Amino acid sequence: MDRNFARALTLVLKSESGWSDNPADPGGATMKGVTLATFRAYIKPAGTKADLKAITDAQIATVYRRQFWDAVHGSELPGGVDYAAFDFAVNSGPKRAAEYLQRVAGARVDGRLGPDSLKAIGAKPAGVIIDAYCDARLGFMRRAKNKKTGKLLWPTFGKGWTARMAAVRRDAMLISALPASPPPIRVEVPVEVPKPVVPEKVEQKVKEKSGFLSWLTGLFGSGALGLGWLAGIDWKAVLAGGGVLLVFILILLLLRSQIVAAVRQIKAEVAE
């Protein structure tokens, strides 16, 4: 799993820490597990041993992710298996690490961890894969030879490799037992919405119009009183009442038109 990269890198660097330039080591000059050839391929084409010694943590992380973690599809492997394959790739090359992982998973061995291989690996418990994988890797280490001299490497590196494999097996098992990251908990925080504030310009315009509207309202009230007075007279005043009713209707129409016009004017002036 990709979330395990930082943890796996920290563990690998415990075994790959420091400078090494042992003539018996087929990898040659190495700094924190990064060989001079790898340094030249990913960081500085014409890099020297001095440049390799001064490699930064960021450069180391870049090399390890691109050359080893991504090469064995660490982000797609089960927890614990990802670290075991990563450490194998760093120590003995990504292709060999992939081949041995395919063997213990019962997948076709071609050194490329495709969908079928990943499915076969995921079909078995991580602990079973880790145990078989570490056993197979230890067997490879016992048989490994120096390509130049043909001599077994175990007499020289066997003690360190044994300790390394014990640590890898232990830490890989611990990682495999870790629970998957829980989904983030969403907490709805109530947001206080401020009350709308009437802009000063709008408020001023409303005040200007309110004077005229108040006058119309007063006029409307006067008309209503007039109607109340007219209701008390006798039938002979019907004609006069009809005239007042006509005036009342005209007042309503005027009031409506003035309100609509006032609102439109305020909106137009504020929008400027």
Side-chain angles (χ1 to χ4, degrees), residues 156-240:
T156 304
F157 301 103
K159 184 178 180 180
W161 285 348
T162 300
R164 177 170 184 161
M165 288 310 306
V168 169
R169 191 190 302 266
R170 181 192 68 242
D171 292 331
M173 287 293 191
L174 290 174
I175 293 174
S176 71
L178 293 176
S181 300
I185 300 175
R186 240 183 120 179
V187 179
E188 296 292 342
V189 179
V191 179
E192 184 178 350
V193 180
K195 294 181 179 180
V197 179
V198 179
E200 185 178 351
K201 188 173 183 179
V202 174
E203 187 177 0
Q204 181 61 35
K205 291 298 178 182
V206 171
K207 286 181 179 179
E208 292 176 2
K209 298 299 179 182
S210 62
F212 177 70
L213 295 178
S214 297
W215 176 80
L216 287 178
T217 303
L219 184 59
F220 170 76
S222 299
L225 290 175
L227 284 177
W229 175 76
L230 289 173
I233 66 175
D234 58 11
W235 60 272
K236 293 181 180 180
V238 172
L239 183 59

Side-chain angles (χ1 to χ4, degrees), residues 8 10 53 62 79 105 137-138 143 164 168 201 258 262 271-272:
T10 299
K53 277 187 177 182
T62 297
R137 181 181 172 188
L138 199 55
R143 299 187 302 271
R164 177 170 184 161
V168 169
K201 188 173 183 179
Q258 288 298 322
E272 292 179 355

Side-chain angles (χ1 to χ4, degrees), residues 1 4 77-85 126 130 168 171-176:
M1 298 180 183
N4 288 333
L77 293 174
V81 178
D82 51 4
Y83 161 57
I130 292 168
V168 169
D171 292 331
M173 287 293 191
L174 290 174
I175 293 174
S176 71

